[in-house]
Amino acid sequence: MTEFLTIVGMAVLTFAIRYLPYAFGGRLVFPPALQAALRYVPVAVLTAIIVPTVLLPDGSHWQLSWRNPAIIGSLASALIVWRTRHLLAAIGGGMLIYFGWRWLFLV
Amino acid sequence: MSDHTSLQASRRSEFLAGARDSLPMLIGAAPFGMIFGALAEQSGVSTLGALAMSALVFAGSSQFIALTLFKGHAALGVIWLTTLIVNLRHALYSVTLLPHVGKLSQRWRLPLAFGLTDETFAVVQHRYNSHDPSPYKHWYYLGSVLAMYSNWQLWTAAGLILGQSVKGLENLGLDFAMVATFVGIVVPMLKTPAMRWAALAAAVVALAAHGLPYKLGLMLAALAGVVTGVWCESRQTPRQDHAG
């Protein structure tokens, strides 16, 4: 019962967050300064998710070593997408390098 | 061809293009969905609960965090508060897409809001920013949503099944797929110095504030990134005028 309630609450919250701005429809017009600021949101948020996941995988211990496969794998993804603009190649290539690195260093 | 059929054809081609352009994201989300399913049982979440979470919440990172909170027997309020903070970024996504989506009927806005994930946002924003005047870009959006949604349900179920037979599935490092996907989305966005400074500020603050409860560090880092980006942009604009 608690599980059900928790999940329904999560669903309602998540939907409300995503829907609230749309609910206003065309009536909500943002000033240009705010619109300019919003362009930085995806980069800021996604970077803030990626970097601790890679460098602090368990949330408390730094993994600042070239043996950390997530560092090498994400650098590979970054390099591939930067050079080729091909997202699928970046995901696939990054994962190959990541698993190769794990296998090499048995982490 | 009558007007009616050509109209349907362009809707369908937008829809299919949205699904097709989400393909890399589908592949990136697949292992992530599978680990979510595999981790559910040992986190004390029932099979039905895991399926319901993927079907109703449909937000990968917050579903993962919820599993760790379930495992730690966190209070209901803590799980809800954390969900709120972790998913708050989606409001910023819908604010960004509002100029395009705001004109649509409620019937459209409801499902498009429900399906607004990081991946769909990245794909759809790119489509809306392209300059061709197609009036059916919301069909493209819907194509991306339905592709991501069915993919997520499928891989959650696969993880629930495989998690019981394949031991240690969650320790294989499949979650790296999410990192690779997000890196692939972010790097092409780093076109201007202001964008790069925004990313750097977000990274530094995310690391410095990672110990804060309820994933507050994520919100702080996002804020720091946005403020830094805007500040750098405002410093650069006059200089570009002189040069140009």
Side-chain angles (χ1 to χ4, degrees):
Chain A
M1 189 58 212
T2 320
E3 183 187 88
F4 176 75
L5 192 64
T6 311
I7 293 168
V8 169
M10 286 175 68
V12 170
L13 278 170
T14 306
F15 177 75
I17 293 164
R18 288 169 169 167
Y19 178 67
L20 207 62
Y22 286 174
F24 287 96
R27 282 165 293 163
L28 195 64
V29 180
F30 292 97
L34 186 62
Q35 284 179 20
L38 287 171
R39 286 190 288 114
Y40 293 94
V41 169
V43 163
V45 171
L46 296 180
T47 307
I49 293 176
I50 298 164
V51 174
T53 311
V54 169
L55 299 181
L56 283 159
D58 65 353
S60 48
H61 297 93
W62 289 87
Q63 299 288 330
L64 283 172
S65 154
W66 57 272
R67 281 170 167 265
N68 176 352
I71 295 184
I72 306 300
S74 43
L75 286 178
S77 283
L79 190 69
I80 295 168
V81 81
W82 178 47
R83 302 302 297 182
T84 67
R85 297 284 133 155
H86 201 292
L87 183 56
L88 193 54
I91 296 171
M95 288 196 75
L96 270 180
I97 301 279
Y98 171 83
F99 285 114
W101 214 259
R102 269 177 74 111
W103 178 76
L104 274 176
F105 298 103
L106 299 171
V107 284
Chain B
M1 206 181 346
S2 75
D3 276 358
H4 184 65
T5 41
S6 73
L7 231 148
Q8 271 191 334
S10 47
R11 283 173 181 166
R12 189 183 310 127
S13 67
E14 285 282 354
F15 180 86
L16 292 176
R20 195 183 54 230
D21 290 351
S22 305
L23 184 70
M25 278 73 164
L26 300 182
I27 291 166
F32 199 51
M34 197 155 74
I35 308 172
F36 172 75
L39 278 176
E41 195 188 2
Q42 66 188 77
S43 309
V45 175
S46 68
T47 304
L48 195 64
L51 288 172
M53 218 193 275
S54 280
L56 303 174
V57 182
F58 188 44
S61 8
S62 70
Q63 289 181 226
F64 261 88
I65 292 160
L67 285 190
T68 49
L69 293 173
F70 263 107
K71 200 175 185 177
H73 303 286
L76 191 73
V78 171
I79 300 184
W80 285 351
L81 180 62
T82 310
T83 304
L84 180 74
I85 293 167
V86 172
N87 288 338
L88 216 48
R89 67 182 187 281
H90 293 127
L92 301 170
Y93 294 164
S94 41
V95 165
T96 308
L97 295 179
L98 185 62
H100 313 286
V101 177
K103 300 168 207 144
L104 302 169
S105 65
Q106 271 310 336
R107 204 162 56 93
W108 273 97
R109 277 183 270 153
L110 288 165
L112 294 186
F114 176 78
L116 189 55
T117 54
D118 297 288
E119 289 88 344
T120 288
F121 173 73
V123 173
V124 167
Q125 193 199 21
H126 194 252
R127 178 74 190 102
Y128 275 122
N129 286 345
S130 66
H131 288 297
D132 73 289
S134 163
Y136 299 118
K137 291 179 180 175
H138 51 291
W139 284 88
Y140 179 97
Y141 186 164
L142 187 67
S144 174
V145 167
L146 284 181
M148 288 298 296
Y149 187 74
S150 33
N151 184 62
W152 188 243
Q153 310 314 317
L154 182 78
W155 289 102
T156 301
L160 284 163
I161 296 163
L162 285 173
Q164 288 166 352
S165 48
V166 185
K167 287 291 158 235
L169 187 69
E170 65 282 2
N171 297 323
L172 291 178
L174 291 170
D175 46 343
F176 180 73
M178 184 202 70
V179 173
T181 307
F182 285 0
V183 167
I185 295 174
V186 165
V187 169
M189 292 176 174
L190 303 175
K191 274 181 279 194
T192 63
M195 278 292 177
R196 294 193 280 269
W197 283 111
L200 187 67
V204 170
V205 174
L207 288 172
H210 76 275
L212 293 179
Y214 315 126
K215 296 279 163 186
L216 276 169
L218 180 63
M219 249 7 248
L220 278 183
L223 194 66
V226 171
V227 170
T228 306
V230 170
W231 184 69
C232 291
E233 192 182 303
S234 70
R235 276 171 53 96
Q236 268 156 11
T237 318
R239 240 185 285 158
Q240 277 171 352
D241 285 349
H242 280 297

